[in-house]
Amino acid sequence: MQNPKLTHISFISRLSLGFLFIYHGLVPKILWLSPVETHLVSLSGLDVPANIISLLAGIGEVLLGGSILFFRKSIIPIYMAVVVLLLLLLFVGFVSPEYLVEAFNPVTTNMLGLGFCYLVWFTHEGEKV
């Protein structure tokens, strides 16, 4: 049986991480397409309209956030979140580094997300799905 404090830390970390992905998938990508999202898609080199790419990315982020929240016995969504957070941070750093120094930038968001991933991993009981 796990320590109740560690269980609480894991729960709050999953809640925060799930919220991060659901919010960033839903608000600037699906509900209100952000000009920053449009700009980053244009820099990706993909020959698909930004509204399509952003919609698909937003759906993926919402699904990942939901899996972090609802599959609490699995660590796999956490590993997926680590990969996504690192890849997105590297992508922005390479294609548009000016965003890394703006207010509410990907460095702070992604590093906090990675911190929540670590806390979930650290407190995980090792149970399988």
Side-chain angles (χ1 to χ4, degrees), residues 32-94:
W32 296 280
L33 183 56
S34 163
V36 172
E37 294 290 335
T38 304
H39 182 245
L40 290 172
V41 170
S42 73
L43 296 174
S44 71
L46 299 173
D47 194 26
V48 180
N51 61 330
I52 301 296
I53 294 287
S54 293
L55 175 66
L56 294 174
I59 290 169
E61 286 186 59
V62 169
L63 290 173
L64 180 55
S67 69
I68 289 167
L69 294 175
F70 295 111
F71 298 119
R72 292 191 316 250
K73 292 186 178 189
S74 177
I75 200 76
I76 293 170
I78 304 305
Y79 290 139
M80 292 170 60
V82 168
V83 170
V84 168
L85 289 167
L86 288 173
L87 288 177
L88 289 172
L89 184 58
L90 288 171
F91 173 73
V92 172
F94 283 120

Side-chain angles (χ1 to χ4, degrees), residues 2 12 23 31-33 36 38-39 44 47 56 60 76 81 89 95-96 99 110 117 123 127:
Q2 192 171 16
I12 296 300
Y23 182 88
L31 297 178
W32 296 280
L33 183 56
V36 172
T38 304
H39 182 245
S44 71
D47 194 26
L56 294 174
I76 293 170
L89 184 58
V95 302
S96 201
Y99 289 128
N110 291 30
C117 289
T123 58
E127 298 177 54

